[in-house]
Amino acid sequence: MAGLPVWAWIALAAVVGLALRLYYFFIQTGIHYPDEIFQYIEPAHVRMHGFGWLPWEFGGGVRNWILPGYYGGLMEIGEAFGLRGWSLHGALALHNALLTLLIVPAGYRLGRAVGRGDERLGILSAFAMAAFPPFAYFAPHTLSEVHGLLFTTWAYALWAEQVAFPDRFGGRRQAFLVGLLLGAAFLCRYTLA
């Protein structure tokens, strides 16, 4: 692409993604989906403080404790800094919004691999990941789909690189990472498989 190096285009895509995610973060105050609380934050709260409501899915083994454990760790850090209630939930939502920016370099790598080295397709894919409205809209929510999207996108990007550039990315390490990322997506929510 004329004028800017590739890394600058990716950075620009990340800035666009950040602006959109912050926009949705600020206009979506509060909780819009019950799953945001009951499936991850409430179980973490129950384990941390000993009271609250534990959804049946955790007792029945339909859901695992990975995301509640992850959010519980973030909640402990937030509480150590004096965050409680809505301010703590807002910090978790902001964390997720920022975390989802990791999809931008994955999008670049995926697009470049699909285009067999075409940098323009990689840049276009990075911008698509940054600005795709559902990705930006759901980014500031404590839902399993946020993490699942990151894991699966990175897995597909690494897999596409193995197929497109077997001489550079065809090793066992990259194949192991693909399996690890797809496994992590499955563990976040079994139905993501």
Side-chain angles (χ1 to χ4, degrees):
M1 305 276 302
L4 293 175
V6 171
W7 67 265
W9 284 107
I10 296 169
L12 182 60
V15 168
V16 168
L18 176 62
L20 282 171
R21 283 153 177 76
L22 289 177
Y23 168 76
Y24 284 117
F25 171 76
F26 285 114
I27 69 165
Q28 296 180 19
T29 57
I31 299 167
H32 295 271
Y33 306 99
D35 288 357
E36 290 185 68
I37 294 298
F38 297 123
Q39 292 180 354
Y40 306 108
I41 297 176
E42 183 75 10
H45 185 272
V46 168
R47 292 294 184 230
M48 289 168 54
H49 300 291
F51 64 92
W53 179 71
L54 190 63
W56 67 269
E57 294 101 335
F58 290 97
V62 176
R63 291 196 186 271
N64 63 51
W65 284 90
I66 291 175
L67 282 178
Y70 174 78
Y71 284 121
L74 293 175
M75 291 166 67
E76 289 281 353
I77 293 168
E79 288 182 2
F81 284 98
L83 298 177
R84 303 276 187 277
W86 288 113
S87 62
L88 180 57
H89 182 266
L92 295 175
L94 181 60
H95 163 77
N96 275 7
L98 297 176
L99 181 69
T100 63
L101 289 174
L102 292 175
I103 201 170
V104 173
Y108 166 75
R109 289 177 68 167
L110 179 61
R112 190 181 60 129
V114 168
R116 303 282 190 202
D118 185 353
E119 300 288 346
R120 295 172 301 166
L121 187 56
I123 292 168
L124 179 63
S125 182
F127 273 96
M129 295 293 182
F132 187 53
F135 292 174
Y137 176 85
F138 285 107
H141 294 280
T142 54
L143 298 165
S144 62
E145 290 78 8
V146 171
H147 297 86
L149 177 65
L150 278 174
F151 292 142
T152 55
T153 303
W154 271 103
Y156 291 140
L158 296 175
W159 172 78
E161 285 178 340
Q162 285 184 302
V163 172
F165 315 112
D167 53 323
R168 276 197 334 227
F169 297 105
R172 290 184 180 154
R173 181 176 179 266
Q174 190 128 345
F176 176 76
L177 286 173
V178 170
L180 191 64
L181 289 164
L182 290 175
F186 175 74
L187 288 176
C188 281
R189 187 166 187 173
Y190 303 135
T191 56
L192 290 177

PDB file of all heavy atoms in Angstrom, residues 48-68:
ATOM      1  N   MET A  48     -15.577 -16.064  45.218  1.00  0.00           N
ATOM      2  CA  MET A  48     -14.744 -15.073  45.908  1.00  0.00           C
ATOM      3  C   MET A  48     -15.306 -14.703  47.274  1.00  0.00           C
ATOM      4  O   MET A  48     -14.561 -14.563  48.238  1.00  0.00           O
ATOM      5  CB  MET A  48     -14.623 -13.799  45.060  1.00  0.00           C
ATOM      6  CG  MET A  48     -13.771 -13.967  43.821  1.00  0.00           C
ATOM      7  SD  MET A  48     -13.927 -12.579  42.663  1.00  0.00           S
ATOM      8  CE  MET A  48     -13.549 -11.184  43.693  1.00  0.00           C
ATOM      9  N   HIS A  49     -16.633 -14.503  47.333  1.00  0.00           N
ATOM     10  CA  HIS A  49     -17.234 -13.926  48.539  1.00  0.00           C
ATOM     11  C   HIS A  49     -18.162 -14.868  49.289  1.00  0.00           C
ATOM     12  O   HIS A  49     -18.633 -14.533  50.372  1.00  0.00           O
ATOM     13  CB  HIS A  49     -17.973 -12.636  48.176  1.00  0.00           C
ATOM     14  CG  HIS A  49     -17.075 -11.591  47.580  1.00  0.00           C
ATOM     15  ND1 HIS A  49     -16.112 -10.939  48.310  1.00  0.00           N
ATOM     16  CD2 HIS A  49     -16.969 -11.123  46.317  1.00  0.00           C
ATOM     17  CE1 HIS A  49     -15.462 -10.093  47.535  1.00  0.00           C
ATOM     18  NE2 HIS A  49     -15.951 -10.187  46.311  1.00  0.00           N
ATOM     19  N   GLY A  50     -18.477 -16.011  48.701  1.00  0.00           N
ATOM     20  CA  GLY A  50     -19.289 -16.995  49.407  1.00  0.00           C
ATOM     21  C   GLY A  50     -20.781 -16.770  49.356  1.00  0.00           C
ATOM     22  O   GLY A  50     -21.527 -17.512  49.985  1.00  0.00           O
ATOM     23  N   PHE A  51     -21.241 -15.788  48.628  1.00  0.00           N
ATOM     24  CA  PHE A  51     -22.683 -15.594  48.495  1.00  0.00           C
ATOM     25  C   PHE A  51     -22.995 -15.118  47.083  1.00  0.00           C
ATOM     26  O   PHE A  51     -22.144 -14.595  46.375  1.00  0.00           O
ATOM     27  CB  PHE A  51     -23.223 -14.602  49.535  1.00  0.00           C
ATOM     28  CG  PHE A  51     -22.682 -13.204  49.384  1.00  0.00           C
ATOM     29  CD1 PHE A  51     -23.353 -12.269  48.628  1.00  0.00           C
ATOM     30  CD2 PHE A  51     -21.504 -12.840  50.022  1.00  0.00           C
ATOM     31  CE1 PHE A  51     -22.848 -10.982  48.489  1.00  0.00           C
ATOM     32  CE2 PHE A  51     -20.994 -11.554  49.896  1.00  0.00           C
ATOM     33  CZ  PHE A  51     -21.669 -10.623  49.125  1.00  0.00           C
ATOM     34  N   GLY A  52     -24.232 -15.322  46.696  1.00  0.00           N
ATOM     35  CA  GLY A  52     -24.692 -14.992  45.354  1.00  0.00           C
ATOM     36  C   GLY A  52     -25.455 -16.173  44.789  1.00  0.00           C
ATOM     37  O   GLY A  52     -25.748 -17.140  45.492  1.00  0.00           O
ATOM     38  N   TRP A  53     -25.784 -16.099  43.535  1.00  0.00           N
ATOM     39  CA  TRP A  53     -26.549 -17.157  42.891  1.00  0.00           C
ATOM     40  C   TRP A  53     -25.649 -17.904  41.923  1.00  0.00           C
ATOM     41  O   TRP A  53     -24.974 -17.302  41.089  1.00  0.00           O
ATOM     42  CB  TRP A  53     -27.735 -16.541  42.147  1.00  0.00           C
ATOM     43  CG  TRP A  53     -28.561 -17.552  41.424  1.00  0.00           C
ATOM     44  CD1 TRP A  53     -29.384 -18.475  41.987  1.00  0.00           C
ATOM     45  CD2 TRP A  53     -28.630 -17.753  40.019  1.00  0.00           C
ATOM     46  NE1 TRP A  53     -29.967 -19.253  41.020  1.00  0.00           N
ATOM     47  CE2 TRP A  53     -29.524 -18.806  39.785  1.00  0.00           C
ATOM     48  CE3 TRP A  53     -28.036 -17.141  38.929  1.00  0.00           C
ATOM     49  CZ2 TRP A  53     -29.842 -19.263  38.521  1.00  0.00           C
ATOM     50  CZ3 TRP A  53     -28.339 -17.591  37.667  1.00  0.00           C
ATOM     51  CH2 TRP A  53     -29.242 -18.642  37.471  1.00  0.00           C
ATOM     52  N   LEU A  54     -25.633 -19.214  42.039  1.00  0.00           N
ATOM     53  CA  LEU A  54     -24.834 -20.046  41.151  1.00  0.00           C
ATOM     54  C   LEU A  54     -25.767 -20.726  40.157  1.00  0.00           C
ATOM     55  O   LEU A  54     -26.616 -21.526  40.537  1.00  0.00           O
ATOM     56  CB  LEU A  54     -24.064 -21.098  41.956  1.00  0.00           C
ATOM     57  CG  LEU A  54     -23.020 -21.874  41.187  1.00  0.00           C
ATOM     58  CD1 LEU A  54     -21.921 -20.937  40.673  1.00  0.00           C
ATOM     59  CD2 LEU A  54     -22.405 -22.934  42.085  1.00  0.00           C
ATOM     60  N   PRO A  55     -25.636 -20.401  38.865  1.00  0.00           N
ATOM     61  CA  PRO A  55     -26.507 -21.009  37.852  1.00  0.00           C
ATOM     62  C   PRO A  55     -26.362 -22.535  37.818  1.00  0.00           C
ATOM     63  O   PRO A  55     -25.299 -23.080  38.113  1.00  0.00           O
ATOM     64  CB  PRO A  55     -26.019 -20.409  36.534  1.00  0.00           C
ATOM     65  CG  PRO A  55     -25.307 -19.160  36.918  1.00  0.00           C
ATOM     66  CD  PRO A  55     -24.716 -19.432  38.268  1.00  0.00           C
ATOM     67  N   TRP A  56     -27.417 -23.186  37.425  1.00  0.00           N
ATOM     68  CA  TRP A  56     -27.453 -24.646  37.410  1.00  0.00           C
ATOM     69  C   TRP A  56     -26.386 -25.242  36.493  1.00  0.00           C
ATOM     70  O   TRP A  56     -25.935 -26.357  36.718  1.00  0.00           O
ATOM     71  CB  TRP A  56     -28.839 -25.145  37.006  1.00  0.00           C
ATOM     72  CG  TRP A  56     -29.175 -24.827  35.570  1.00  0.00           C
ATOM     73  CD1 TRP A  56     -29.800 -23.714  35.101  1.00  0.00           C
ATOM     74  CD2 TRP A  56     -28.887 -25.633  34.426  1.00  0.00           C
ATOM     75  NE1 TRP A  56     -29.923 -23.762  33.743  1.00  0.00           N
ATOM     76  CE2 TRP A  56     -29.369 -24.940  33.294  1.00  0.00           C
ATOM     77  CE3 TRP A  56     -28.268 -26.862  34.232  1.00  0.00           C
ATOM     78  CZ2 TRP A  56     -29.249 -25.433  32.000  1.00  0.00           C
ATOM     79  CZ3 TRP A  56     -28.151 -27.350  32.936  1.00  0.00           C
ATOM     80  CH2 TRP A  56     -28.641 -26.649  31.841  1.00  0.00           C
ATOM     81  N   GLU A  57     -25.989 -24.508  35.454  1.00  0.00           N
ATOM     82  CA  GLU A  57     -25.029 -25.046  34.489  1.00  0.00           C
ATOM     83  C   GLU A  57     -23.707 -25.455  35.145  1.00  0.00           C
ATOM     84  O   GLU A  57     -23.049 -26.388  34.696  1.00  0.00           O
ATOM     85  CB  GLU A  57     -24.712 -24.032  33.380  1.00  0.00           C
ATOM     86  CG  GLU A  57     -25.862 -23.719  32.483  1.00  0.00           C
ATOM     87  CD  GLU A  57     -26.533 -22.407  32.820  1.00  0.00           C
ATOM     88  OE1 GLU A  57     -26.442 -21.972  33.982  1.00  0.00           O
ATOM     89  OE2 GLU A  57     -27.148 -21.811  31.933  1.00  0.00           O
ATOM     90  N   PHE A  58     -23.314 -24.733  36.186  1.00  0.00           N
ATOM     91  CA  PHE A  58     -22.040 -25.041  36.838  1.00  0.00           C
ATOM     92  C   PHE A  58     -22.144 -26.284  37.712  1.00  0.00           C
ATOM     93  O   PHE A  58     -21.214 -27.065  37.788  1.00  0.00           O
ATOM     94  CB  PHE A  58     -21.541 -23.832  37.634  1.00  0.00           C
ATOM     95  CG  PHE A  58     -21.111 -22.722  36.737  1.00  0.00           C
ATOM     96  CD1 PHE A  58     -21.962 -21.675  36.442  1.00  0.00           C
ATOM     97  CD2 PHE A  58     -19.856 -22.737  36.153  1.00  0.00           C
ATOM     98  CE1 PHE A  58     -21.573 -20.667  35.597  1.00  0.00           C
ATOM     99  CE2 PHE A  58     -19.463 -21.733  35.297  1.00  0.00           C
ATOM    100  CZ  PHE A  58     -20.319 -20.687  35.014  1.00  0.00           C
ATOM    101  N   GLY A  59     -23.267 -26.468  38.357  1.00  0.00           N
ATOM    102  CA  GLY A  59     -23.471 -27.667  39.156  1.00  0.00           C
ATOM    103  C   GLY A  59     -23.644 -28.899  38.292  1.00  0.00           C
ATOM    104  O   GLY A  59     -23.232 -29.998  38.662  1.00  0.00           O
ATOM    105  N   GLY A  60     -24.241 -28.720  37.113  1.00  0.00           N
ATOM    106  CA  GLY A  60     -24.505 -29.848  36.225  1.00  0.00           C
ATOM    107  C   GLY A  60     -23.389 -30.140  35.240  1.00  0.00           C
ATOM    108  O   GLY A  60     -23.502 -31.056  34.435  1.00  0.00           O
ATOM    109  N   GLY A  61     -22.325 -29.359  35.258  1.00  0.00           N
ATOM    110  CA  GLY A  61     -21.201 -29.604  34.365  1.00  0.00           C
ATOM    111  C   GLY A  61     -21.407 -29.140  32.932  1.00  0.00           C
ATOM    112  O   GLY A  61     -20.634 -29.493  32.047  1.00  0.00           O
ATOM    113  N   VAL A  62     -22.451 -28.350  32.696  1.00  0.00           N
ATOM    114  CA  VAL A  62     -22.694 -27.836  31.352  1.00  0.00           C
ATOM    115  C   VAL A  62     -21.694 -26.726  31.027  1.00  0.00           C
ATOM    116  O   VAL A  62     -21.316 -26.537  29.882  1.00  0.00           O
ATOM    117  CB  VAL A  62     -24.148 -27.317  31.220  1.00  0.00           C
ATOM    118  CG1 VAL A  62     -24.408 -26.699  29.872  1.00  0.00           C
ATOM    119  CG2 VAL A  62     -25.116 -28.457  31.481  1.00  0.00           C
ATOM    120  N   ARG A  63     -21.264 -26.032  32.035  1.00  0.00           N
ATOM    121  CA  ARG A  63     -20.239 -24.989  31.871  1.00  0.00           C
ATOM    122  C   ARG A  63     -19.062 -25.317  32.787  1.00  0.00           C
ATOM    123  O   ARG A  63     -19.220 -25.897  33.844  1.00  0.00           O
ATOM    124  CB  ARG A  63     -20.791 -23.616  32.238  1.00  0.00           C
ATOM    125  CG  ARG A  63     -21.814 -23.125  31.265  1.00  0.00           C
ATOM    126  CD  ARG A  63     -22.017 -21.640  31.449  1.00  0.00           C
ATOM    127  NE  ARG A  63     -23.088 -21.165  30.625  1.00  0.00           N
ATOM    128  CZ  ARG A  63     -22.927 -20.742  29.377  1.00  0.00           C
ATOM    129  NH1 ARG A  63     -21.748 -20.710  28.835  1.00  0.00           N
ATOM    130  NH2 ARG A  63     -23.961 -20.322  28.685  1.00  0.00           N
ATOM    131  N   ASN A  64     -17.887 -24.880  32.358  1.00  0.00           N
ATOM    132  CA  ASN A  64     -16.708 -25.086  33.203  1.00  0.00           C
ATOM    133  C   ASN A  64     -16.357 -23.775  33.909  1.00  0.00           C
ATOM    134  O   ASN A  64     -16.996 -22.741  33.711  1.00  0.00           O
ATOM    135  CB  ASN A  64     -15.541 -25.634  32.384  1.00  0.00           C
ATOM    136  CG  ASN A  64     -15.094 -24.669  31.324  1.00  0.00           C
ATOM    137  OD1 ASN A  64     -14.845 -23.494  31.591  1.00  0.00           O
ATOM    138  ND2 ASN A  64     -14.969 -25.151  30.093  1.00  0.00           N
ATOM    139  N   TRP A  65     -15.318 -23.815  34.700  1.00  0.00           N
ATOM    140  CA  TRP A  65     -14.962 -22.695  35.549  1.00  0.00           C
ATOM    141  C   TRP A  65     -13.820 -21.837  34.995  1.00  0.00           C
ATOM    142  O   TRP A  65     -13.297 -20.977  35.698  1.00  0.00           O
ATOM    143  CB  TRP A  65     -14.579 -23.215  36.933  1.00  0.00           C
ATOM    144  CG  TRP A  65     -15.797 -23.613  37.701  1.00  0.00           C
ATOM    145  CD1 TRP A  65     -16.387 -24.840  37.729  1.00  0.00           C
ATOM    146  CD2 TRP A  65     -16.603 -22.763  38.505  1.00  0.00           C
ATOM    147  NE1 TRP A  65     -17.505 -24.809  38.510  1.00  0.00           N
ATOM    148  CE2 TRP A  65     -17.659 -23.532  39.009  1.00  0.00           C
ATOM    149  CE3 TRP A  65     -16.532 -21.414  38.852  1.00  0.00           C
ATOM    150  CZ2 TRP A  65     -18.642 -23.016  39.835  1.00  0.00           C
ATOM    151  CZ3 TRP A  65     -17.506 -20.895  39.687  1.00  0.00           C
ATOM    152  CH2 TRP A  65     -18.547 -21.691  40.170  1.00  0.00           C
ATOM    153  N   ILE A  66     -13.459 -22.028  33.752  1.00  0.00           N
ATOM    154  CA  ILE A  66     -12.319 -21.283  33.202  1.00  0.00           C
ATOM    155  C   ILE A  66     -12.608 -19.786  33.130  1.00  0.00           C
ATOM    156  O   ILE A  66     -11.833 -18.977  33.656  1.00  0.00           O
ATOM    157  CB  ILE A  66     -11.900 -21.859  31.842  1.00  0.00           C
ATOM    158  CG1 ILE A  66     -11.284 -23.236  32.072  1.00  0.00           C
ATOM    159  CG2 ILE A  66     -10.926 -20.931  31.124  1.00  0.00           C
ATOM    160  CD1 ILE A  66     -10.933 -23.985  30.832  1.00  0.00           C
ATOM    161  N   LEU A  67     -13.699 -19.396  32.479  1.00  0.00           N
ATOM    162  CA  LEU A  67     -13.984 -17.958  32.389  1.00  0.00           C
ATOM    163  C   LEU A  67     -14.363 -17.340  33.737  1.00  0.00           C
ATOM    164  O   LEU A  67     -13.915 -16.231  34.037  1.00  0.00           O
ATOM    165  CB  LEU A  67     -15.043 -17.672  31.331  1.00  0.00           C
ATOM    166  CG  LEU A  67     -14.527 -17.699  29.892  1.00  0.00           C
ATOM    167  CD1 LEU A  67     -15.643 -17.449  28.897  1.00  0.00           C
ATOM    168  CD2 LEU A  67     -13.413 -16.700  29.687  1.00  0.00           C
ATOM    169  N   PRO A  68     -15.167 -17.998  34.577  1.00  0.00           N
ATOM    170  CA  PRO A  68     -15.371 -17.417  35.908  1.00  0.00           C
ATOM    171  C   PRO A  68     -14.061 -17.261  36.682  1.00  0.00           C
ATOM    172  O   PRO A  68     -13.868 -16.286  37.405  1.00  0.00           O
ATOM    173  CB  PRO A  68     -16.319 -18.392  36.597  1.00  0.00           C
ATOM    174  CG  PRO A  68     -17.074 -19.019  35.484  1.00  0.00           C
ATOM    175  CD  PRO A  68     -16.077 -19.134  34.366  1.00  0.00           C
TER     176      PRO A  68
END
